[in-house]
Amino acid sequence: MDITIPTALKTLSAGGSAMQSMTSWWKKSKGDSRALIGELKDNLQYLDMIANDGVPIGDVVEKLSIVEYKRLSREGFNFNNLKKSKISNYPSLKGTDLESWGGKETEALVVSIYDKLNEIKIRFPHVGDNQKYRWKVRVNNIRKRIWLLLVHVGS
């Protein structure tokens, strides 16, 4: 399945680039931020296995993790600390499903990523065979949001 990738995200969508960016970000981080980034990195690896390697979503859905995110949410962690500025209005996002993210805070993007991961973890075991959920599309949408987060924190 081909997905449309805005120019701002093209380099990250290439094999291994997102993982390299994620690892670099993880190495520079400390404490709670590092724990969250590590969890995001693992989740991206599982999502990439579904999208790129043909691994059935059912084989990895239980491995997708939201533990650190939930812990940090309970503790009142400020997700905007990952990057204090708002998401740029990248010109290449215009006309894409990511266009609405320009001008929003980092926290909104992180919350959205984890809401979508949580939805897959809850729904897939019960309605995994239902065609209306288009699981691969959902997986790719989460991947694109993670890539956008990587571009944002790297800018």
Side-chain angles (χ1 to χ4, degrees):
M1 168 192 305
D2 284 340
I3 59 173
T4 305
I5 303 168
T7 307
L9 309 179
K10 285 267 190 219
T11 37
L12 289 175
S13 68
S17 234
M19 278 307 139
Q20 289 171 352
S21 294
M22 191 74 81
T23 300
S24 174
W25 183 24
W26 179 80
K27 285 179 179 178
K28 295 176 196 170
S29 301
K30 295 183 186 316
D32 289 336
S33 294
R34 187 176 177 124
L36 182 72
I37 295 162
E39 182 174 76
L40 267 172
K41 181 181 173 195
D42 290 349
N43 286 333
L44 181 58
Q45 286 180 330
Y46 288 123
L47 296 172
D48 283 350
M49 288 169 45
I50 296 164
N52 299 329
D53 302 325
V55 173
I57 190 171
D59 289 357
V60 298
V61 73
E62 288 300 318
K63 293 177 174 128
L64 293 172
S65 177
I66 57 172
V67 173
E68 288 299 324
Y69 170 76
K70 283 189 170 190
R71 176 184 68 83
L72 293 171
S73 293
R74 273 191 313 273
E75 293 175 1
F77 181 78
N78 182 355
F79 294 100
N80 288 324
N81 287 340
L82 297 172
K83 175 80 176 207
K84 295 191 188 310
S85 64
K86 293 187 178 189
I87 299 167
S88 296
N89 286 306
Y90 299 103
S92 72
L93 296 182
K94 189 172 174 104
T96 71
D97 57 334
L98 297 174
E99 179 177 14
S100 65
W101 288 104
K104 291 187 180 176
E105 293 188 335
T106 305
E107 181 170 5
L109 184 54
V110 171
V111 168
S112 174
I113 290 166
Y114 274 97
D115 282 350
K116 297 206 171 297
L117 285 168
N118 193 44
E119 183 180 10
I120 287 176
K121 289 181 67 62
I122 290 170
R123 288 185 185 273
F124 185 82
H126 305 287
V127 291
D129 293 336
N130 190 327
Q131 298 299 326
K132 81 175 187 177
Y133 287 99
R134 303 182 319 156
W135 297 110
K136 284 204 173 196
V137 171
R138 288 170 183 250
V139 163
N140 281 324
N141 286 338
I142 298 168
R143 290 171 67 225
K144 288 190 288 185
R145 287 174 193 211
I146 294 173
W147 295 339
L148 179 58
L149 179 62
L150 285 170
V151 168
H152 171 57
V153 298
S155 64

